[in-house]
Amino acid sequence: MPKHYDIIIVGGGPAGLTAAIYARRAEKSVLILEKNGFGGQIAQSPRVDNFPGIPSVSGAELSDKMLGHALELGAEIDLAEVTGVEPRGGGFTVRTPDGDYGAGAVILATGAKHRRLGVEREDELAGSGVCYCAVCDGAFYPGRPVAIVGGGDTAVRDALLLSNTCSKVYVIHRRHEFRAEKANVAALRSRDNVELITGARVAALLGGDELTGVAVEDIETGERRELEADGLFVAVGHESDSAPFRGAAETDEAGWFTAGEDGVTMTPGLFVAGDCRRKSVKQLITAAGDGAAAATAACRWLDSQIRED
């Protein structure tokens, strides 16, 4: 028989760790299953300046504190990839390549992945000049030149934000027209320190241990140009990690879970939390809030099953 827990949380980022803290406070047995590393995307951020009550902290330190908090309260953890969640006998079987677990309730906090450019050395320079969140990391580049890749609303808003403090902002977009809101594009064009480079792609990342620039290639002619940039902000969208669970929880066409703020899904006892959920703001604080809400809903659901029995 697989080991059984009141609640199994799939994903060890801010949403999953917060859910574990709240579930343990409610005296539920908890297992967190994480396939990569605890802390999620925030663990890769050199500095976090916008978490309430903590003026400045590295993402790794904040992640360690959240994990330590969950462990101190008695949550258990395991590094394992969850390949499926199946309703079984009033609860769930949670499947991993190394064995199965039993759970009374499951919280999916699988997060989201930044869509990558696919350029050589991108992963190597992540956190050393290559960034995926202007709100999180833009403050590291005051008075310095940066580049941003993308043509949607996020890229244009991020470019406007960066242009307030950076000496130069290159906006690189593979199409000639931007998909972003026209008013924001017009505002971007009016900034003296912004240069729009359209019909182009990033062909190479320059520098050693730290990014010093990017090589940009014209898509039609192949002509290359090197840009000085201490930071490259990639804003080409996100990808959901929901694929193994789409039969159990509702998703939209892009694969984001469509549950409300309480995390309740169409499967009784299955909840979702964090950046894997469709919502307009995906930040550390909203992920933590989702985790708290989903854990509270899961505990209430478990308690209601006990009363019915």
Side-chain angles (χ1 to χ4, degrees):
M1 290 288 293
K3 188 172 181 180
H4 187 89
Y5 295 85
D6 292 328
I7 299 175
I8 289 181
I9 299 167
V10 183
L17 293 173
T18 304
I21 291 167
Y22 272 71
R24 283 300 301 146
R25 293 276 295 179
E27 299 185 344
K28 306 301 183 188
S29 59
V30 174
L31 173 66
I32 311 169
L33 296 173
E34 166 59 44
K35 66 178 180 180
N36 293 317
F38 289 92
Q41 295 179 35
I42 198 65
Q44 306 302 318
S45 179
R47 195 171 76 198
V48 176
D49 291 330
N50 57 348
F51 197 77
I54 305 177
S56 183
V57 64
S58 73
E61 182 181 355
L62 182 58
S63 298
D64 286 345
K65 287 181 179 294
M66 295 178 76
L67 176 60
H69 191 175
L71 292 174
E72 286 174 10
L73 288 174
E76 296 181 34
I77 62 174
D78 195 7
L79 280 171
E81 180 178 4
V82 175
T83 56
V85 172
E86 301 173 8
R88 187 70 56 88
F92 296 88
T93 296
V94 179
R95 302 204 178 278
T96 80
D98 299 323
D100 299 340
Y101 297 90
V106 172
I107 298 173
L108 301 176
T110 54
K113 302 179 293 185
H114 289 288
R115 187 172 288 120
R116 305 281 175 155
L117 290 177
V119 180
E120 188 175 354
R121 300 184 68 221
E122 182 176 1
D123 290 342
E124 176 188 337
L125 290 171
S128 297
V130 175
C131 310
Y132 297 89
C133 177
V135 174
C136 309
D137 299 329
F140 301 136
Y141 298 93
R144 300 162 69 185
V146 299
I148 185 164
V149 185
D153 286 312
T154 298
V156 170
R157 286 196 300 264
D158 286 355
L160 287 169
L161 175 68
L162 293 167
S163 70
N164 292 328
T165 56
C166 297
S167 61
K168 181 77 174 182
V169 179
Y170 298 99
V171 182
I172 305 161
H173 183 36
R174 60 192 178 91
R175 295 188 175 93
H176 289 286
E177 298 294 330
F178 288 87
R179 294 175 287 108
E181 187 177 334
K182 291 183 179 180
N184 285 336
V185 175
L188 196 62
R189 293 184 187 278
S190 71
R191 301 286 173 99
D192 292 337
N193 63 335
V194 173
E195 181 177 342
L196 306 183
I197 304 174
T198 59
R201 67 180 186 90
V202 174
L205 305 178
L206 309 178
D209 294 336
E210 298 282 338
L211 184 79
T212 59
V214 297
V216 176
E217 181 179 86
D218 187 284
I219 290 175
E220 294 179 358
T221 66
E223 182 181 354
R224 285 201 177 194
R225 172 188 174 190
E226 291 189 358
L227 310 175
E228 179 186 356
D230 293 338
L232 174 66
F233 291 83
V234 180
V236 293
H238 291 80
E239 297 174 331
S240 169
D241 262 349
S242 64
F245 317 106
R246 290 180 189 174
E250 309 97 314
T251 63
D252 62 14
E253 292 181 356
W256 304 107
F257 295 122
T258 55
E261 292 185 2
D262 58 4
V264 175
T265 73
M266 65 183 183
T267 302
L270 182 66
F271 304 85
V272 299
D275 287 357
C276 58
R277 188 172 71 84
R278 185 178 67 188
K279 54 183 179 174
S280 59
V281 179
K282 295 180 185 286
Q283 291 287 315
L284 169 60
I285 191 65
T286 63
D290 267 14
T296 300
C299 292
R300 287 175 178 168
W301 185 83
L302 286 170
D303 291 343
S304 72
Q305 300 308 296
I306 295 172
R307 288 194 296 271
E308 288 179 7
D309 291 344

